[in-house]
Amino acid sequence: MLRSKSTWKIPPADAAAAARLSKGLAVSPLMGQLLSARGITRPEDALSFMESECGHDPFLLKGMKEAVPRIRRAIQEEEHILIYGDYDADGVSSTSLMIYLLRHLGASFDIYIPHRSNEGYGLHNHAIDWALTQGVSLIITVDTGISACTQIAYANERGIEVIVTDHHEPPEELPPAYALINPKLPGCPYPFKGLAGVGVAYKLAEALLDGDVPPEWTEIVAIGTVADLMPLTGENRALVRRGIESMRSSRFPGVRALLEVSGASPGAVNSVHIAFGMAPRINASGRLDHAGRAVSLLTAEHMEEAVQLAGELDMLNKERQLVVERITEEAVARLEALEALPPVIVLAGEGWNVGVVGIVASKILERYYRPVIILDIHPETGMCKGSARSIPGLDIYAALTSCRECMDHYGGHPAAAGMSLHRDRLEEFAAALAAYASEVLEPEHFVPVTETDGEIPLGALTLRAADELDRLAPFGMGNPLPRFVIRGAVVKEARTMGQGNRHLKLALQQGGDVIEAVAFGRGALMDLLPVGTSVDVLAELSVNEWNGMRKPQLMVQDLAVPEAQFFDFRGSASAFAKSRRLFELLQCGEPDRTAVAIVRGESARQGRDWEGFELWGYDNNGSLHPLQADKKEAPAAPSLLCLLDMPESPEELEAIHLLFPEAENVALLHPIRSGRERLQPPSREIFKLLYQQLAALTASPLPEREVLAALCRRCSLNIRMVASMLDVFEELEFIRRADGQITFVVSPASQSLTTSSHYQRLGQMAEMERVFMEGSVPQLREWLRERLYRVSVS
């Protein structure tokens, strides 16, 4: 049994709606089921979603009617304008778009983006002072400013007017700006609230250009919207779709260079390439250097400059990956040392680069699945700057608002936020968040859940269906890549691939249907998925193109083996290492899972690190006992039961069954005995030969030890076999045992061998040893199913 990483949530099926959509749109049944699972039940709604051409009048945005004439007057009167942006990919995109807009309008302008580490988020007074020295009379913020009450008041005092364009959650007190443009403002009638900062900037461009916006500008909108994890629904969907289409033949040198260094083919670029190729490199600029370098790339006018800048961002991104890895390891070490995890993880450290703490928070959240705040502490001032990432059950912006008195500044969304505070308030801050979370979070909130698009038979995952899915693109937040659950598929082939065998490639079969599946980063599971294993899979459907051939392929996101497994590593030269490796694979990051190893005697644990295992040994009476002093009771359902020595009697097998009746997985790791060392099935011929030799040896009483040795030599039987046969003779009163000696009974009563319980037991032991030593996989499965576990032998 292999557990999935999360609970797969299956939406209720609406077969009638799915059939109606499939027929009305002339699409595959899979497409019909997918649309209905996402709440689209009418063909006309589906067409509207797929065509995604919706847009809204920019003047519906509150503040737009005031902002547009003020900007036009500034341009007409040749005022110097400052574009004030943010240092993340949305802020970089917003700033770049405004540069294109003001260039297009012939404006006089400068840009200012604060340094993430040295200055931090938001509008700053010293930047306003600098703007004044540059002759700035109007500041236009992009992707920032909605919380800058004191700073905008300061600008007003200095004679600079400020227009704020932002999309973050507005605070209760709004800044005294000349105009505030944010779809989330109270009373704003704009119908779509999910615009990114760059989306709001684009609406300003629409208003200033009377709707005649150059179509290629949507490329910049697409980058910022996808990178900032905005929902790809409504107007965002239309903007990003148009942007990606334009990007496939982009005229922007910066976009072309960024695609190249990201390894994306321009003609096939999609939202995934933006999210995982372009956005990390843009963000790396603001995380480890200054975001101005990324703005220079997106606004570059010459290819040579763009190629150089893209290469620099690529190197910064590689450096960023190393920094994230180091901080994550330090954070995990501190968490592992805790007796219990708090409901909200708050960790702070000196030298934790403030530019990457958000990424670290995401990694810690993925590992422990609870809200996380990671902060960098300035060693001299003691000021902490950090980022938060949260789970669906906790609105982190609301949580921060509940303890806002602890912080100097904060802002963000329900799922992510940023904040600054002094280290002296860290303890108070963490306690306040824990108290708030304890009131909000229930136990079920700490269980990761993955939304799926339904349970699908393998036969429905066709090439036609894979091609049709492109009609639902672009994919991202609010419109995720479709994920399907396939249950009861059988592993037909399995192999690892890639450097270091990191990835897993499977051929899955269900009935007569077979499809290839790739699981990136899951190569280690190869040992758990031998051919014939029945698996449940959560996967995305894609198209594999190779040498002009196209076929459907699954990209595995999660995988489970729903039944207990039986791992056959009999005769392994490294049984201990195999045991530990199996347990690590099956543990799946869950520290509460247990493993049991059963050995004969105590020598197996010498010189071995059995941490995480419970050791049990066979008793002489056929029962089991713990080999560790602190273990008294056996776990009824260990995740792994390793038999490093096989049971040698029905009593020992029954003892295993009684102690561990619900073991999730069983591994056979016992040595293989040669034929001479094994028990033989009892027969009249063997007993007749032994009886004759016994009669010749024991005319008078002899020590049992000498009798056993002599009989082994004369009959070519091992000592275990001879001792078991003597038990039969004793039971039938053919011999007598007393004081360590054996006496032959000359004229015993005539009795059939089969009446002896020892004879029957010897037959059971010989059969058990044969199956454990040489039985095929199907024989093991059936034999153990009847006698011990209901397992699926792999």
Side-chain angles (χ1 to χ4, degrees), residues 393-439:
L394 184 78
D395 181 333
I396 195 66
Y397 182 80
L400 291 173
T401 302
S402 73
C403 56
R404 55 185 175 271
E405 67 280 356
C406 297
M407 298 172 287
D408 290 26
H409 177 83
Y410 76 101
H413 310 294
M419 75 295 298
S420 62
L421 66 156
H422 196 271
R423 71 187 309 165
D424 292 345
R425 307 206 71 173
L426 277 174
E427 188 174 339
E428 176 189 1
F429 177 61
L433 285 173
Y436 178 88
S438 297
E439 295 292 325

Side-chain angles (χ1 to χ4, degrees), residues 83-88 90-91 94 112 114 120-124 128 139-153 155-156 162-182 185 197 200 397 409-412:
I83 307 167
Y84 194 104
D86 188 25
Y87 39 64
D88 67 0
D90 187 15
S94 304
Y112 192 102
Y121 177 82
L123 189 60
H124 299 286
I128 295 169
I139 295 175
I140 303 173
T141 74
V142 286
D143 192 37
T144 189
I146 197 64
S147 300
C149 294
T150 58
Q151 293 85 356
I152 291 176
N156 291 338
V162 181
I163 293 173
V164 171
T165 72
D166 201 351
H167 72 126
H168 295 94
E169 296 291 335
E172 292 181 6
E173 180 186 354
L174 295 174
Y178 184 89
L180 295 174
I181 304 174
N182 184 333
L185 283 172
V200 178
Y397 182 80
H409 177 83
Y410 76 101

Side-chain angles (χ1 to χ4, degrees), residues 643-657:
L643 302 184
L644 276 77
D645 289 293
M646 63 162 281
E648 294 185 348
S649 69
E651 292 81 8
E652 290 182 348
L653 188 64
E654 181 64 19
I656 295 172
H657 176 58

